[in-house]
Amino acid sequence: VQLQASGGGSVQPGGSLRLSCAASGSIGSISAMGWYRQAPGKQRELVAITTSGGTTNYDYSVKGRFTISRDNAKNTVYLQMNSLKPEDTAVYYCNGGVRRTGRWSYEDYWGQGTLVTVSS
């Protein structure tokens, strides 16, 4: 199983970016999928998360600006980021709880990270 993240880049304050993360491989089912970020010198933190049923939760710092969504048919999670601020600059990682085909338990998988830079 692999999670492949894409969509990072450089943008000016107030701009927008959309991140995507597609899971591939022998996937039986996926529970929660989420986005985390890690800024230089800081710990990795949860940005947003969505369950298989569509329930979402956001860190207070991005609520109202970011929207997480998922396409279960494509095993893909998205993060629409609007009104970006310099403090949103970080490497963004996607995460998913995946049950592999033929297995009973869920395991944690991470994408490779995609850099988002917000600067004027």
Side-chain angles (χ1 to χ4, degrees):
V1 173
Q2 288 187 325
L3 271 62
Q4 183 70 40
S6 61
S10 295
V11 65
Q12 292 187 339
S16 298
L17 284 173
R18 188 191 194 211
L19 306 183
S20 300
C21 176
S24 62
S26 298
I27 297 171
S29 60
I30 303 177
S31 57
M33 298 187 80
W35 289 95
Y36 293 72
R37 67 186 179 187
Q38 187 167 18
K42 295 188 176 182
Q43 289 188 329
R44 190 175 297 188
E45 62 179 9
L46 175 66
V47 176
I49 193 167
T50 178
T51 67
S52 57
T55 300
T56 59
N57 199 14
Y58 299 89
D59 182 77
Y60 76 95
S61 66
V62 306
K63 197 171 290 187
R65 300 188 297 121
F66 291 10
T67 302
I68 189 170
S69 61
R70 65 190 281 176
D71 184 333
N72 291 328
K74 296 182 179 180
N75 292 327
T76 299
V77 63
Y78 306 95
L79 186 68
Q80 178 66 44
M81 305 185 294
N82 298 328
S83 303
L84 282 160
K85 304 176 180 180
E87 51 263 44
D88 295 317
T89 295
V91 177
Y92 284 69
Y93 298 89
C94 59
N95 170 269
V98 180
R99 181 181 62 80
R100 289 189 283 169
T101 304
R103 301 289 183 95
W104 290 101
S105 62
Y106 286 83
E107 298 171 83
D108 226 17
Y109 287 89
W110 291 89
Q112 83 283 11
T114 183
L115 178 63
V116 172
T117 303
V118 184
S119 174
S120 55

